[in-house]
Amino acid sequence: MTSTIVSPHLQLELAQRFRDVRLRTLGLCNPLTPEDMMVQSCAEASPAKWHLAHTAWFFESFILREFLPGYKLFNADFPWLFNSYYRNFAEFPEKRLRSSFSRPGLDEVLAYRSYVDEGIGKLLEAGAEPEVLKRIELGANHEEQHQELLLTDILHAFYTNPLRPVYRNDERKSDSSSARRHGENPLNFVQFAGGMVEVGFTGTGFCYDNELPRHRVWLEPYRLANRLVTNLEFAEFIADGGYRKSALWLSAGWDAVEQNGWKAPLYWNENGEGWRLFTLRGELSLEEIGTAPVSQVSYFEADAYARWAGKRLPTEFEWEAAAEAQPLQGNLLNTKNLAPVAAEDEGKQLLQLWGDCWEWTASAYLGYPGFEPLAGSLGEYNGKFMSGQMVLRGGSCATPKAQIRSSYRNFFQPETRWQFSGIRLADK
Amino acid sequence: MTSTIVSPHLQLELAQRFRDVRLRTLGLCNPLTPEDMMVQSCAEASPAKWHLAHTAWFFESFILREFLPGYKLFNADFPWLFNSYYRNFAEFPEKRLRSSFSRPGLDEVLAYRSYVDEGIGKLLEAGAEPEVLKRIELGANHEEQHQELLLTDILHAFYTNPLRPVYRNDERKSDSSSARRHGENPLNFVQFAGGMVEVGFTGTGFCYDNELPRHRVWLEPYRLANRLVTNLEFAEFIADGGYRKSALWLSAGWDAVEQNGWKAPLYWNENGEGWRLFTLRGELSLEEIGTAPVSQVSYFEADAYARWAGKRLPTEFEWEAAAEAQPLQGNLLNTKNLAPVAAEDEGKQLLQLWGDCWEWTASAYLGYPGFEPLAGSLGEYNGKFMSGQMVLRGGSCATPKAQIRSSYRNFFQPETRWQFSGIRLADK
Amino acid sequence: MTSTIVSPHLQLELAQRFRDVRLRTLGLCNPLTPEDMMVQSCAEASPAKWHLAHTAWFFESFILREFLPGYKLFNADFPWLFNSYYRNFAEFPEKRLRSSFSRPGLDEVLAYRSYVDEGIGKLLEAGAEPEVLKRIELGANHEEQHQELLLTDILHAFYTNPLRPVYRNDERKSDSSSARRHGENPLNFVQFAGGMVEVGFTGTGFCYDNELPRHRVWLEPYRLANRLVTNLEFAEFIADGGYRKSALWLSAGWDAVEQNGWKAPLYWNENGEGWRLFTLRGELSLEEIGTAPVSQVSYFEADAYARWAGKRLPTEFEWEAAAEAQPLQGNLLNTKNLAPVAAEDEGKQLLQLWGDCWEWTASAYLGYPGFEPLAGSLGEYNGKFMSGQMVLRGGSCATPKAQIRSSYRNFFQPETRWQFSGIRLADK
Amino acid sequence: MTSTIVSPHLQLELAQRFRDVRLRTLGLCNPLTPEDMMVQSCAEASPAKWHLAHTAWFFESFILREFLPGYKLFNADFPWLFNSYYRNFAEFPEKRLRSSFSRPGLDEVLAYRSYVDEGIGKLLEAGAEPEVLKRIELGANHEEQHQELLLTDILHAFYTNPLRPVYRNDERKSDSSSARRHGENPLNFVQFAGGMVEVGFTGTGFCYDNELPRHRVWLEPYRLANRLVTNLEFAEFIADGGYRKSALWLSAGWDAVEQNGWKAPLYWNENGEGWRLFTLRGELSLEEIGTAPVSQVSYFEADAYARWAGKRLPTEFEWEAAAEAQPLQGNLLNTKNLAPVAAEDEGKQLLQLWGDCWEWTASAYLGYPGFEPLAGSLGEYNGKFMSGQMVLRGGSCATPKAQIRSSYRNFFQPETRWQFSGIRLADK
């Protein structure tokens, strides 16, 4: 988070951004019942209601309690109840217990959100000091991260329910041109010169501590695929026995294949008549979304696919160096697709850089040279996860646009599959 | 389940019983929100909403589909969705997935119940054949078992919620005389002659297959404690290091102590000022309910306590032989205590035989000589659990009165603690 | 262990018995290398060297240290190092660590045994008091139990070694008549009247505490199969899909089938040309030993087989009542077969009661009415295992003859398969 | 492995190297009994006998079978029995089963080694082609890696044996000056300019595929500690509550602390009078070896220590850039210390770069830009482990000198502790 000097204009802008973010979170819950918002269907996920409460907790804990004079807690238990993992801040319940938080009820959580909104409103009206504004900005970004998680967690929750409910049942005109377009948008590789580049955040806006310091990196020349790997292309990997050939896999990846019985990406099922892919719009056939990017694959699957294809995954710096100059537009949360969609052929340029799917990189998630975590509890935000995880870049169809930028570093353990995570190939 | 000949009077009685049971289930859910009814907080438990649906499923699956001409399924998915474990009947979801059943919503489950009630009503009005009546009787008994589970599961769910909500917050006048009464109701042992006795169900009413055939058993003379072990008495066992002395425990019991870190019964917590016991009325101090029977103990704890006290646990046949002649009255679900309560001193007779707490016996749960499970899917009701479990007798404060009788055999694995399960001592 | 008065004759007899037992243990190790004697291939098993040391430890700990004046420990570490599970006696290493006991070496363990033998010799020469003689008798019985374990553990160790070494490679004339004899020795059922019987040890010799007190039991009339179920018969169960039909299994048994992927008894393997069964003589074909009793099955498999066959397993008391009057002779360790062998048809009488395979009974392992464990550490011998285990009767081809009697109760958890454990059917 | 042209001189040198390596392996086993060589005491370790056999297998599988005309297998089972993890080569037994390989006995394994030695001898005498020589070189390096593992595995095996045997009991004069010297050799930091450096192997000798290609890396200026962190310094971290302060740890590191109950490095024990450290010379007090480098710490502990000290760990490239110009001498296997030893103060220069302890770096183990694994089965040597592991540099007291160089990359999972792995701090 860079230091900023605050103008009245920026204050207004931030107030608007705060309201927009808070409203969008509620909007994402519109299709959900209070019961839906109780489900926690895997170790990575949290109930939607918990996301609602925890994002309010963040503003209360790191801003209102410290900066709003005379602030009274909404509920004396919430400071520890809705803490996620900030050990320096307070005790917190085991993550797996979140599915037992039937109380507070949704009504009370919504009231908590309003109460916190009011508090932040007061601070902003009063003309907040720079540190407060920085933290509101951080809180908005934090909440946007949870918007994405809320969607991916609900997708998993609905997949786990044997009835496979549909999150969004508005009509989408069938992507009938999929089959036709396949083959018409062949994978091309775009050449980059490499050399000495700078990576890491630059500018005056918001960024996380893990995007800093900006620093120099030497890159050999490289090539990046112009678009993401599609469902149809990934189906060929499966058909060719990709999940049965140990030579294609990292050792730990092969262990994951065997232990979990992986035979396809997370939401793929064979029903005797071909692959069916579960999405926020329900189950669709491979034909219907074949040219959309493959999603919900682990790093291990991305890596094995690349080896099978005779290519490799890009490093996070190759990706960043290529993306920095590109306009930030794509299939992000704001486009309301809520699913990766097929790339339009636009010649030789890079497509689908932003949105659609997070792109697994070949880089382990580590601190940059001179990395300094934020002081205090906020220092636990990013730094303490710097082991055993791989970096993903570019955002997904569930990532708010304000959230993403070329220096943004997402990270997950290599076996993680419940995110919109896909594959961009690289080559020498 | 014994064969019966059905009179019109019995039909009316059964119709009334059916309505009462169904109504009571709903009544037990009155204090619960739809969100509460989603929680599944341990492997043994199920969400309350699932109990509502599964008990309707039982009537639909074993009665309406087979015996109501033209019956149409309420929902084509429910036959497998709400199956618990009847492998011969249909596939069923893994038990742990029940916490993801946000759909169907509570409203739909309640509509399902009404729909099934209507169907059973039609059958009863039409003058059902004996097999149908037998199955309705079985279904009512089945539902009463789930009433008990619903209460014990909610108690666990609320205990797991870090806020520890209260199921029932009506005032109960403080049991202020507890301390005084302790010592005034000393443990006495009642002598029984033993000899050749008959055990197992007799009579014309309902019973489960595992209570049959009635058969002869030879008993040596024995003595039973006149009442259950109290919380205060169990606290002495703890204070004496009972949970730290391996010599008091069965080998598998000691493993359970070490692996689970047991230091007291399930819902006991030390807060620095003494023991606090979580109940459906919230957390109470040991002083408040000290003379009530200790509850939520495993077989291993019951056995270790008995060894510590220089006594033993009774066999299920010693218990049954003593109980058969006793009037069926006690602190059962119908009394609305919803908690074990202190025994009144009534001299040398057996107290608390019925209700309060299930009483762990020293008998393994096995089939009686000549045991025959019911035919078809219903044969999976009891027989397939006949390994690794111990028998409990007498019912608890959560057991409907119609459910219990002297030949009724409950059974759980010896490490199970989430039930109202307590201790009656026996002696030579 | 019953109280005895000791005559000089008995003393001599006991001295001889002690020597015989000790010598036999060493003899069983003849085919083994020091490296073989290090292997511990499953949680139930111990290395052969550990058996050698622990059986010496038993005599040292419970006899020499207490009763031999001036006894000096062979090694100050051995009292805790070779303790198995007697918590009251001393700390002991975790069982799984026994495979790391490369030191003391075999030579030192053999020297330890000689040293202990010498000590016991001195006690016996001096004319030991009754308690000492009782304990020597107990120690001899204890060692005989470990002889059986040593053999079953080595069988498992050799099975685990991918080379599948042979314990005993002397020629045994091929049981060529197997196929022919099958069908000529059909399974018959022998009728027993039941009624009031006495069970439990009677007489003046040695017995364990768990065989006492002798007491009365009422039995309904029953029938026992004249011989054990054969490999060929069990192969029919497999061929009929026995391991794929959940309805044949106890619930916990079906869990075991699924979790462990059971498809046949422990040492059976399909090699494309039919079943191969691993034995102490190496791998043999089903044809070669088809009429021998099936062995290395769990209680769950025995129970499922019985259900498939329309029969049941006997209770331990039905077995004991039938066996008490039968002469104690059979295929025990002393016959040197070291494998179950086919029964000879001798009409309608009970065959294979003793030896061949332990027979799973339908009885849970619990204390008899009035059961009293031995005082002190020896009280941990039997009593503390009285939960979650099933009783087996009759001994196996690895059981020393002196070890077995009609009241002897062996016990294992129902999923246990590494023993010579087989199936005798019972019927109404 | 770089391509080489082979002169007769090089052939002779290689023949000598081959003999030396093979002989040293046997020498390391001198203090061991055949029983010691059976022990496999943790998941990472293998029995010493297995190391003996597997290193012979490597020569047989990748050289003799392919290149020695008419080569006959020593034993037809060994090709799969002693395969470690080369899936492309043959099936192999689960690693944990190696402790059941009592057969082949040690004698047979030694004969296998001689037989293989003879075969390699023939090839060398005949004037082998370059590919053969390259593979012999690879095999020698492979065997040297296993020499190190053999020692660390035996240390763990002896630590697991409750008797804690001593591998090497020759007298070593007490390091009496330890206490005195502490404080006299303070930790200094040596400055490096960074800038554009080249890393990766260069030259004509042997290297592994993962050291290539040599490539450019940009480094910011940095400082490295002149010596490793000592036992006494690490003891201060412990005394300051280092293992109880979650803020010092990576999130996954803190999980490891809690799950494994870590309170000190692997072989440290408190006996009431201070720390005792288990070594190949037996248990020594902290006083005796206080100024020696701390060893057997995980990456998580190294990282937490650095954070506590206000420093950080170096990257592998910072390390390599600093080490490339340094003479290769230090406390390696060849010095026969078999333990890390205290650094001598030599002013401001880098000490203990080579040997003593492997140094955890802050770099994840990944392929270099353009990394190409070897073709065929040998390609599984390094590449397939490139996920979830951290790089260590510099070798240890158990690393043969010929094995190590500035570009050598060792790698382990961050929780690994059974190696001689220690800590060098870095600073801005």
Side-chain angles (χ1 to χ4, degrees), chain C residues 126-392:
Chain C
E129 55 178 299
E131 178 64 20
V132 169
L133 298 180
K134 274 168 58 182
R135 294 206 183 173
I136 292 174
E137 177 73 51
L138 176 62
N141 278 275
H142 171 261
E143 182 145 348
E144 289 183 316
Q145 290 183 318
H146 280 276
Q147 288 171 359
E148 176 160 358
L149 291 172
L150 192 153
L151 281 170
T152 51
D153 292 358
I154 276 293
L155 177 55
H156 194 276
F158 280 4
Y159 182 71
T160 305
N161 185 331
L163 296 181
R164 303 264 161 92
V166 172
Y167 172 77
R168 186 171 179 179
N169 51 19
D170 54 338
E171 213 46 49
R172 190 171 77 138
K173 74 172 182 312
S174 166
D175 211 344
S176 61
S177 51
S178 276
R180 183 180 57 76
R181 282 220 317 281
H182 188 56
E184 294 187 6
N185 189 0
L187 200 65
N188 295 313
F189 283 84
V190 183
Q191 178 76 44
F192 295 90
M196 184 71 89
V197 301
E198 285 204 348
V199 296
F201 182 73
T202 182
T204 57
F206 172 85
C207 76
Y208 287 106
D209 53 6
N210 63 8
E211 302 170 49
L212 292 173
R214 188 165 172 92
H215 63 289
R216 280 168 285 188
V217 168
W218 176 263
L219 298 180
E220 303 298 323
Y222 64 103
R223 299 195 299 150
L224 294 182
N226 66 325
R227 60 165 173 77
L228 302 182
V229 171
T230 66
N231 285 317
L232 281 167
E233 286 164 347
F234 199 85
E236 289 171 30
F237 168 76
I238 300 175
D240 191 43
Y243 282 89
R244 295 190 308 271
K245 297 178 178 171
S246 64
L248 294 173
W249 297 78
L250 288 166
S251 179
W254 186 246
D255 291 346
V257 168
E258 294 206 316
Q259 280 162 28
N260 302 302
W262 286 349
K263 292 178 177 154
L266 178 53
Y267 296 135
W268 290 40
N269 288 292
E270 263 277 25
N271 74 344
E273 297 172 32
W275 291 109
R276 307 280 299 168
L277 285 61
F278 188 69
T279 75
L280 288 167
R281 279 195 170 78
E283 214 160 57
L284 301 173
S285 72
L286 180 57
E287 284 65 42
E288 290 175 285
I289 52 173
T291 56
V294 66
S295 190
Q296 271 82 30
V297 294
S298 63
Y299 174 77
F300 292 133
E301 286 158 301
D303 171 81
Y305 180 89
R307 192 167 292 111
W308 174 79
K311 308 298 180 194
R312 63 176 177 88
L313 300 177
T315 68
E316 63 169 323
F317 301 129
E318 290 173 338
W319 190 97
E320 183 169 338
E324 200 172 49
Q326 300 292 321
L328 203 168
Q329 61 195 27
N331 177 23
L332 293 149
L333 177 58
N334 315 52
T335 64
K336 311 241 183 259
N337 274 317
L338 293 186
V341 296
E344 293 298 323
D345 185 3
E346 302 186 39
K348 297 290 189 184
Q349 71 196 41
L350 289 178
L351 302 169
Q352 299 173 317
L353 265 182
W354 314 103
D356 288 305
C357 292
W358 288 100
E359 306 178 20
W360 284 108
T361 74
S363 300
Y365 177 55
L366 296 168
Y368 286 171
F371 166 65
E372 296 278 3
L374 294 179
S377 293
L378 288 171
E380 298 188 61
Y381 203 98
N382 281 309
K384 76 176 181 184
F385 300 109
M386 288 175 173
S387 77
Q389 317 222 22
M390 301 303 288
V391 173
L392 304 95

Side-chain angles (χ1 to χ4, degrees), chain D residues 106-372:
Chain D
L106 179 59
D107 286 352
E108 192 175 353
V109 166
L110 293 176
Y112 178 40
R113 288 181 65 87
S114 298
Y115 182 80
V116 164
D117 287 349
E118 217 173 296
I120 297 292
K122 280 183 202 157
L123 269 175
L124 283 167
E125 280 161 31
E129 55 178 299
E131 178 65 20
V132 169
L133 298 180
K134 275 167 57 181
R135 294 208 183 173
I136 292 175
E137 177 71 52
L138 177 62
N141 278 275
H142 171 262
E143 181 143 348
E144 289 183 314
Q145 290 183 317
H146 280 277
Q147 289 170 358
E148 176 160 357
L149 292 171
L150 192 154
L151 281 171
T152 51
D153 292 359
I154 276 293
L155 178 55
H156 194 278
F158 280 4
Y159 182 70
T160 305
N161 185 330
L163 296 182
R164 303 264 161 92
V166 172
Y167 171 77
R168 184 169 180 179
N169 51 21
D170 54 337
E171 212 48 46
R172 189 172 77 138
K173 76 174 181 310
S174 166
D175 209 345
S176 62
S177 52
S178 277
R180 183 180 56 77
R181 283 219 316 280
H182 188 56
E184 294 186 6
N185 189 359
L187 200 65
N188 296 312
F189 282 84
V190 184
Q191 178 75 43
F192 295 89
M196 184 72 88
V197 301
E198 285 205 348
V199 296
F201 182 75
T202 182
T204 57
F206 173 84
C207 77
Y208 287 106
D209 53 6
N210 63 9
E211 302 170 50
L212 291 172
R214 187 164 172 91
H215 63 288
R216 279 169 285 188
V217 168
W218 177 264
L219 297 179
E220 303 298 323
Y222 63 103
R223 299 195 299 149
L224 293 182
N226 66 324
R227 60 164 173 77
L228 302 182
V229 171
T230 66
N231 284 316
L232 280 167
E233 287 164 346
F234 200 85
E236 289 170 31
F237 168 76
I238 301 175
D240 190 42
Y243 282 91
R244 296 190 307 271
K245 297 178 177 170
S246 64
L248 295 173
W249 297 78
L250 288 167
S251 180
W254 186 247
D255 290 348
V257 168
E258 292 205 317
Q259 280 162 28
N260 302 303
W262 285 349
K263 292 179 178 153
L266 177 54
Y267 296 135
W268 290 39
N269 287 292
E270 263 278 23
N271 74 344
E273 296 171 31
W275 290 109
R276 308 278 300 168
L277 285 61
F278 188 68
T279 75
L280 288 167
R281 280 194 169 79
E283 215 161 56
L284 301 173
S285 72
L286 179 58
E287 283 65 41
E288 290 175 284
I289 52 172
T291 56
V294 66
S295 189
Q296 271 83 30
V297 294
S298 63
Y299 174 77
F300 292 133
E301 286 158 302
D303 170 82
Y305 180 88
R307 193 167 290 111
W308 174 78
K311 308 298 180 195
R312 63 177 178 88
L313 300 178
T315 68
E316 63 169 323
F317 302 128
E318 291 172 336
W319 191 96
E320 183 170 338
E324 201 173 45
Q326 301 292 321
L328 204 169
Q329 60 195 29
N331 177 23
L332 292 150
L333 177 57
N334 314 51
T335 64
K336 312 236 184 266
N337 274 317
L338 293 186
V341 297
E344 292 299 323
D345 184 3
E346 302 187 38
K348 295 292 188 183
Q349 71 196 45
L350 289 178
L351 303 169
Q352 299 175 317
L353 265 182
W354 314 103
D356 288 305
C357 292
W358 288 100
E359 306 178 20
W360 284 108
T361 74
S363 300
Y365 177 56
L366 297 168
Y368 286 170
F371 166 65
E372 295 279 2

